[in-house]
Amino acid sequence: MKRRHQNIRLRIATIVGARPQFIKAATLSRVLRSTLDVEEVLVHTGQHYDENMSKIFFEELDVPLPKYNLGIHSTRHGSQTGRMLEAIEATLTELRPNCVLVYGDTNSTLAGALAAAKLHIPVAHVEAGLRCFNRRVPEEINRICTDHVSDFLFAPTETAVRNLLTEGISPQRIHRAGDVMYDAALFYGSKASLDGLLPGVEANHYVLATIHRAENTDNLERLSAIMEGLALVAGEVPVVLPLHPRSRAAVEQSGRPPQSKHLHVIEPVGYLKMIALEKSARLIVTDSGGVQKEAFFYRVPCVTLRDQTEWVELVEMGWNVVVPPISASAVAEAIFANLDRRGREGAPYGDGAAAQAIATVLCTAFQ
């Protein structure tokens, strides 16, 4: 039964634009949709516009398609963020929400937070407090700025809480909620199956790789080291690489695509197929923050091809190893050395009820 407009007590505008945000939003949206007198309106910036990177996630995760699709695709950081800021401001002016909800650290996150703050609309940031302490990383700038204009900061870990306190953010604004990605892993993990996805590739006998961050794809030396390193590994262990459109374009433009019979470069896949690939991998190689955590959720060892990670808990627990991709041999040696790594057990990301905790805080605040 549809709620009548006049019965809405709390209207939340949720800004999303990239794959990890669709997953996080699906988890929290499911709770918000079941909450009386709460209306959530999804606004999609268009940051991920490929069919496999966007629409399929909403279909698989049973999330209503966004009411607004702003259609702002990939371009330079300043241009993209500026166009998003302008479009989101107009959308929020029309919607007049009580609160704006943003996730993670993308340009969509920053633009949504800035637009709301300038319109004096309270901002709620899910996944607040993460820091890699390298301001050359675009996502680091996005997350710092978003945290400092947000009214509700939902930190996934105790480390994230400490980071916020160190930066002088009021404890009253900080909420240790746990990680909605863990909620999603528990809810959707049982629905994912590898059946028919990788003909000829045996479960638990392949390396899964994902590469998309600008620090790797926009640097020819790093990108070549990664691709050539994966090709070296594929000489002994099959490697499955769902390739992000921007990464594929960068590899093609480099003129040096890797050659290996057992390096399986496939199109991007939806969320359920991706977690099926993750659960059945022997090891995961990635530069994605979300995939690092998903590897841990399914207890698969991970090699992160970056200079640092926000998810320091995984490194401390031994499930994740950070390796700067300075050469093909460095990449390959790190993968071979960690194929059967096991870390220690723990629950740094909560108990799988982060979405309910966040919804409770917001509903209580706007009673």
Side-chain angles (χ1 to χ4, degrees):
M1 179 182 296
K2 293 185 178 180
R3 303 187 188 102
R4 293 180 298 170
H5 178 77
Q6 59 266 35
N7 289 337
I8 298 301
R9 170 175 55 86
L10 171 59
R11 175 175 289 120
I12 296 174
T14 294
I15 312 295
V16 294
R19 169 194 177 271
Q21 294 168 333
F22 307 152
I23 300 163
K24 297 165 193 169
T27 304
L28 184 49
S29 293
R30 187 171 63 251
V31 175
L32 293 174
R33 292 199 309 272
S34 67
T35 304
L36 188 65
D37 299 336
V38 175
E39 177 188 43
E40 183 190 31
V41 180
L42 284 175
V43 179
H44 185 357
T45 64
Q47 186 169 339
H48 278 177
Y49 52 91
D50 178 88
E51 186 78 5
N52 282 338
M53 299 296 288
S54 183
K55 184 179 177 181
I56 189 172
F57 283 92
F58 293 101
E59 294 174 347
E60 283 189 334
L61 303 178
D62 192 28
V63 179
L65 288 175
K67 183 175 181 179
Y68 297 86
N69 194 320
L70 306 182
I72 300 168
H73 303 330
S74 294
T75 182
R76 296 178 65 180
H77 281 286
S79 174
Q80 184 184 61
T81 306
R83 291 173 60 202
M84 287 178 179
L85 181 59
E86 180 180 20
I88 293 170
E89 181 182 55
T91 303
L92 296 180
T93 300
E94 176 185 332
L95 276 175
R96 300 175 65 85
N98 303 99
C99 178
V100 169
L101 187 60
V102 296
Y103 293 86
D105 54 19
T106 68
N107 289 342
S108 300
T109 306
L110 176 61
L114 286 176
K118 287 176 177 290
L119 291 171
H120 309 294
I121 302 170
V123 178
H125 184 201
V126 175
E127 211 171 73
L130 302 188
R131 299 290 183 268
C132 69
F133 303 102
N134 181 355
R135 294 202 177 191
R136 294 181 62 85
V137 176
E139 292 85 358
E140 182 81 346
I141 301 300
N142 290 347
R143 61 176 75 104
I144 291 172
C145 293
T146 298
D147 282 341
H148 282 266
V149 300
S150 293
D151 302 271
F152 302 90
L153 294 102
F154 294 108
T157 66
E158 188 57 40
T159 300
V161 171
R162 289 197 301 269
N163 289 339
L164 294 171
L165 292 172
T166 299
E167 293 177 11
I169 292 176
S170 168
Q172 285 69 41
R173 293 160 56 193
I174 302 170
H175 305 271
R176 167 78 188 277
D179 197 321
V180 293
M181 290 288 284
Y182 186 39
D183 293 25
L186 294 176
F187 185 81
Y188 294 106
S190 62
K191 304 176 186 293
S193 172
L194 197 63
D195 292 347
L197 185 55
L198 293 174
V201 178
E202 189 177 350
N204 303 313
H205 287 80
Y206 64 87
V207 170
L208 174 66
T210 76
I211 302 298
H212 78 278
R213 283 186 180 264
E215 63 196 84
N216 287 327
T217 60
D218 293 353
N219 184 312
L220 178 58
E221 291 184 2
R222 291 172 73 103
L223 182 61
S224 296
I226 291 169
M227 299 305 294
E228 291 169 13
L230 293 177
L232 288 173
V233 172
E236 298 185 33
V237 181
V239 175
V240 178
L241 176 63
L243 204 54
H244 186 289
R246 185 160 59 85
S247 303
R248 183 182 291 273
V251 171
E252 293 172 351
Q253 289 171 7
S254 74
R256 299 168 66 184
Q259 301 294 324
S260 178
K261 178 181 178 181
H262 297 294
L263 176 57
H264 304 274
V265 180
I266 63 176
E267 293 296 318
V269 296
Y271 177 56
L272 295 182
K273 290 182 178 179
M274 186 63 186
I275 60 176
L277 287 171
E278 291 169 350
K279 288 171 60 179
S280 297
R282 183 176 175 185
L283 178 136
I284 292 174
V285 182
T286 189
D287 58 9
S288 162
V291 174
Q292 290 174 53
K293 288 187 296 176
E294 287 165 349
F296 169 70
F297 297 153
Y298 301 121
R299 299 304 191 266
V300 176
C302 183
V303 171
T304 295
L305 297 179
R306 291 174 58 189
D307 297 321
Q308 60 277 122
T309 180
E310 305 78 34
W311 303 107
V312 295
E313 299 85 5
L314 300 181
V315 176
E316 293 168 354
M317 295 172 68
W319 287 98
N320 191 6
V321 176
V322 178
V323 179
I326 57 175
S327 68
S329 60
V331 171
E333 288 169 7
I335 294 172
F336 285 129
N338 291 284
L339 279 173
D340 299 306
R341 166 180 285 272
R342 303 297 296 178
R344 62 179 174 83
E345 288 300 318
Y349 304 114
D351 59 1
Q356 185 59 62
I358 293 168
T360 298
V361 169
L362 292 177
C363 289
T364 301
F366 291 97
Q367 281 182 342

